[in-house]
């Protein structure tokens, strides 16, 4: 049986299931959580200076403060999804511009159903606002899925059920809730109403390629097939199918919604896009104040990476609020329903890829040959392994990102490092100067290592921040009441720390090139005893 070694551990069903179980549990709680291990990377005080008001005054159009001042709807969640396949669906576009229409493809055992479009944000803590609701629609049980024999790609060959117009929908991140008649089932369908321009704004990027890679609807995903074996995984996955998880929202509620709520509560100028949008449009990030990669953003196309890098070099700040980011190199291809709806990732079988034989880059890990290009050259940190569960240890408490937290050197925050982690490893390409803020000992399948939170700046003025832990975004909701972080014990202290650091980060990054006002001070030698 073929096995792929990722950071020293077999990358098959175990890793995918570990992530999915965590994600499903968190989403069921209504708030948010999450993700093998090995030698992947061996060789209340004053607020930070920098005002976002100047950036805000330069941005016209969408007003996030005004939007979040509108009444929210606290009853948006799927608390009882009902029987499997009672109702489920997908949109034929991952994102649309305001005013564009999209098709919904829905299968249900109920005679009728409705669709409710919730825009996700802060809304005084409600987290969502009902923007649109359909009339009752006729329910149809659609055909069974198909499996493409060569790539084992699962597709739902369903007819379009309805066409939805987004004329009056504000830009942002949406969950469309499908409600079967008589309470027989509920599921979400995610959709982004993307921003036409990002100048002066902080861009929230939904990691849709990663959502789809972990989706196992129809029995296959990018990690395994029906028998749980790596060799039976899909070599390509498509957006032409629903999401497997109980609520249908993919990984959105776990790794993204808490950060979106915080950013919208702050009222900084925001823009919205998906990873496929960034890959498609090389000018999308031009003039953006900052761009955010959220909690689990593993699968990137070369185009997406090139456009992030160009934005950084032009002065756009980058925040990586997770771990294992920009790890898999993918190729986006069309499906029967439109462009960029197929995520191709052959991994260790890249030589079998017809696209590779035609001259496309190998869809293998970025750090692996051929044409190895480790993610650290962009992120500053590099993925080091999983699974770990360890305290987060502050080592640089005077840094501006920790202002207002009251932390001291050596303070620990249980369970905040996990389940995947990154570190600074100068044996790989690493931008300098780079500043390590937290340096947390971990033991990953018997191998001692460290997790690092890091910040670096470049000549063009941009600042780049990476949390180095996958639990950062879910920790934003940690309150210690057992409702959030129940999978691994995140407490209210972790929630307070990550919230304040993220507030500091977003405010400074929204004000423009952070390297000009907050240059990094290299401390790798002081932390690691080597340069």
């Amino acid at each position: 049986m073929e096995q792929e070694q990722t950071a020293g551990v077999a990358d098959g069903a175990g890793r995918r299931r570990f992530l999915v179980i965590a994600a499903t549990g968190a989403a069921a709680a209504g708030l948010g959580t999450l993700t093998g291990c090995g030698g992947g990377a061996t060789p209340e005080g004053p607020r930070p200076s920098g005002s976002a008001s100047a950036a805000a005054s330069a941005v016209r159009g969408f007003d996030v403060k005004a939007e979040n001042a509108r009444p929210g709807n606290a009853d948006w969640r799927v608390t009882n999804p009902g029987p499997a396949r009672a109702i489920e669906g997908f949109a034929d576009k991952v994102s649309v511009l305001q005013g564009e229409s999209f098709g919904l493809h829905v299968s249900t055992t109920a005679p009728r159903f409705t669709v409710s479009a919730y825009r996700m944000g802060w809304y005084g803590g409600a987290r969502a606002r009902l923007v649109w609701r359909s009339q009752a629609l006729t329910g149809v049980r659609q055909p069974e899925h198909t499996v493409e024999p060569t790539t084992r790609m699962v597709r739902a060959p369903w007819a379009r059920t309805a066409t939805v117009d987004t004329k009056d929908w504000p830009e942002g991140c949406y969950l469309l809730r499908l409600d079967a008649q008589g309470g027989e089932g509920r599921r979400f369908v995610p959709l982004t109403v993307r921003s036409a321009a990002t100048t002066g704004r902080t861009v929230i990027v939904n990691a849709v390629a990663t959502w789809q890679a972990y989706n196992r609807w129809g029995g296959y995903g990018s990690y395994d097939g029906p028998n749980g074996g790596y060799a039976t995984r899909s070599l390509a996955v498509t957006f032409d199918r629903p999401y497997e998880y109980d609520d249908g929202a993919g990984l959105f509620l776990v790794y993204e919604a808490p950060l979106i709520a915080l950013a919208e509560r702050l009222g900084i100028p925001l823009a919205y896009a998906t990873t496929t949008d960034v890959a498609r449009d090389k000018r999308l990030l031009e003039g953006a104040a900052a761009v955010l990669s959220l909690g689990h953003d593993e699968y990137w196309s070369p185009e997406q990476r090139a456009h992030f890098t160009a934005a950084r070099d032009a002065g756009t700040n980058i925040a990586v609020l997770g771990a294992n980011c920009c790890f898999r190199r993918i190729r986006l291809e069309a499906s029967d329903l439109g462009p960029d709806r197929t995520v191709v990732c052959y991994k260790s079988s890249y030589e079998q890829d017809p696209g590779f034989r035609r001259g496309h880059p190998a869809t293998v890990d970025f750090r692996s040959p051929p044409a190895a290009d480790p993610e650290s050259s962009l992120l500053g940190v590099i993925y080091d392994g999983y699974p770990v569960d360890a305290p987060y240890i502050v080592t640089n408490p005077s840094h501006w990102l920790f202002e207002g937290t009251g932390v001291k050197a050596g303070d620990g925050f249980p369970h905040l490092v996990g389940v995947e982690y990154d570190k600074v490893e100068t044996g790989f390409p690493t931008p300098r100067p780079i500043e390590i803020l937290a340096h947390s000992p971990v033991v990953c399948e018997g191998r001692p290592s460290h997790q690092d939170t890091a910040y670096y700046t470049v000549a063009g003025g941009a600042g780049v921040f990476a949390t180095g832990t996958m639990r950062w975004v879910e920790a934003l909701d940690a309150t210690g009441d057992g409702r959030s972080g129940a999978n691994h014990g995140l407490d209210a202290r972790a929630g307070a720390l990550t919230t304040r650091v993220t507030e500091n980060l977003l405010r400074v990054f929204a004000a423009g090139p952070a390297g000009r006002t907050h240059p990094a001070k290299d401390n790798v030698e002081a932390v690691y005893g080597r340069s």
Side-chain angles (χ1 to χ4, degrees):
M1 178 180 294
E2 178 187 29
Q3 295 223 332
E4 176 186 30
Q5 296 296 313
T6 297
V9 67
D11 180 18
R15 181 171 185 269
R16 189 201 69 83
R17 286 175 184 152
F18 195 95
L19 171 65
V20 171
I21 289 168
T24 303
L31 293 172
T33 108
L34 169 14
T35 152
C37 201
T42 56
E44 258 329 308
R47 298 199 182 277
S49 59
S51 171
S53 60
S57 65
V59 176
R60 294 181 174 86
F62 177 65
D63 186 337
V64 69
K65 288 184 178 180
E67 171 62 30
N68 278 268
R70 304 180 73 168
N73 299 85
D75 61 349
W76 59 269
R77 293 180 174 87
V78 170
T79 55
N80 181 17
R85 307 295 164 87
I87 189 166
E88 53 192 347
F90 62 91
D92 64 9
K93 295 179 181 177
V94 171
S95 72
V96 294
L97 290 170
Q98 183 184 37
E100 289 184 341
S101 62
F102 63 92
L104 266 180
H105 299 245
V106 178
S107 178
T108 180
T109 56
R112 298 178 76 76
F113 70 97
T114 59
V115 184
S116 301
Y118 291 95
R119 185 186 179 281
M120 308 306 293
W122 173 241
Y123 300 106
R127 296 290 183 96
R129 179 174 76 85
L130 178 64
V131 170
W132 171 84
R133 178 167 285 158
S134 75
Q135 61 184 1
L137 303 172
T138 300
V140 175
R141 185 73 168 95
Q142 300 261 22
E144 291 298 316
H145 65 270
T146 62
V147 181
E148 199 280 324
T150 303
T151 63
R152 297 178 292 276
M153 181 177 73
V154 173
R155 178 177 175 269
W158 296 352
R160 178 182 288 201
T161 307
T163 299
V164 180
D165 183 5
T166 66
K167 177 182 178 182
D168 298 318
W169 297 20
E171 56 194 78
C173 304
Y174 284 76
L175 291 178
L176 313 178
R177 197 180 71 197
L178 311 176
D179 290 81
Q181 186 180 64
E184 296 178 23
R186 286 182 170 181
R187 293 292 193 284
F188 286 128
V189 175
L191 179 81
T192 302
V193 178
R194 68 182 183 271
S195 303
T198 65
T199 301
R201 307 192 202 185
T202 294
V203 189
I204 291 171
V205 182
N206 300 130
V208 293
T210 300
W211 301 357
Q212 197 55 250
Y214 280 89
N215 184 17
R216 203 169 173 272
W217 188 92
Y220 293 84
S222 294
Y223 291 88
D224 59 14
N227 69 359
Y230 172 74
T232 62
R233 73 196 184 282
S234 293
L235 303 176
V237 292
T238 179
F239 291 100
D240 298 355
R241 59 175 178 161
Y243 284 101
E244 169 195 31
Y245 310 114
D246 288 348
D247 60 15
L251 301 180
F252 174 79
L253 288 173
V254 175
Y255 295 112
E256 306 197 4
L259 183 280
I260 293 165
L262 187 154
E264 297 211 352
R265 175 174 62 79
L266 293 181
I268 60 175
L270 295 174
Y272 307 84
T274 70
T275 51
T276 56
D277 298 322
V278 175
R280 182 188 308 118
D281 185 354
K282 68 179 181 180
R283 301 190 64 180
L284 181 61
L285 300 179
E286 285 185 2
V291 58
L292 309 182
S293 166
L294 304 185
H296 193 33
D297 190 7
E298 179 180 350
Y299 287 72
W300 287 41
S301 67
E303 294 82 5
Q304 178 187 345
R305 180 165 175 176
H307 299 161
F308 263 73
T309 302
R312 178 202 64 182
D313 294 347
T316 296
N317 303 308
I318 296 176
V320 179
L321 302 171
N324 189 218
C325 179
C326 190
F327 185 68
R328 310 284 190 188
R329 184 191 287 120
I330 65 170
R331 184 174 67 253
L332 293 170
E333 295 183 344
S335 78
D336 292 344
L337 295 180
D340 301 330
R341 291 187 60 82
T342 300
V343 178
V344 180
C345 192
Y346 275 66
K347 302 181 182 178
S348 57
S349 303
Y350 69 88
E351 292 179 332
Q352 302 173 17
D353 180 4
F356 175 69
R357 295 171 182 169
R358 293 193 301 267
H360 289 289
T363 55
V364 68
D365 301 345
F366 274 103
R367 69 177 68 176
S368 300
D373 185 14
E375 67 271 21
S376 55
S377 65
L378 173 62
L379 311 181
V381 295
I382 196 158
Y383 173 58
D384 197 50
Y386 102 104
V388 300
D389 182 288
Y392 182 88
I393 306 299
V394 174
T395 54
N396 193 355
S398 63
H399 194 272
W400 61 269
L401 279 162
F402 287 127
E403 288 182 15
T405 65
V407 295
K408 303 181 296 297
D411 281 355
F413 295 82
H415 310 294
L416 184 52
V417 176
V419 61
E420 298 187 321
Y421 70 99
D422 301 334
K423 66 183 294 188
V424 172
E425 175 50 76
T426 56
F428 292 94
T430 304
R432 308 295 282 269
I434 189 165
E435 200 166 3
I436 297 172
L437 317 182
H439 184 62
S440 310
V442 300
V443 177
C444 195
E445 290 194 335
R447 177 179 62 88
S449 188
H450 285 86
Q451 171 272 345
D452 292 320
T453 295
Y455 170 74
Y456 77 85
T457 51
V458 296
V464 178
F465 171 77
T467 67
T469 173
M470 193 172 284
R471 289 181 180 162
W472 190 272
V473 170
E474 62 175 312
L476 298 174
D477 276 342
T479 61
D481 60 6
R483 296 185 63 210
S484 178
N487 291 24
H488 31 256
L490 289 169
D491 60 17
R493 289 180 65 247
L497 175 78
T498 54
T499 296
R500 185 54 186 266
V501 171
T502 306
E503 289 174 348
N504 293 343
L505 174 80
L506 293 179
R507 287 192 174 102
V508 167
F509 273 23
R516 296 177 184 168
T517 55
H518 299 75
K521 301 173 184 178
D522 200 293
N523 66 350
V524 173
E525 185 172 3
V527 173
Y528 275 101
R530 54 176 167 75
S531 59

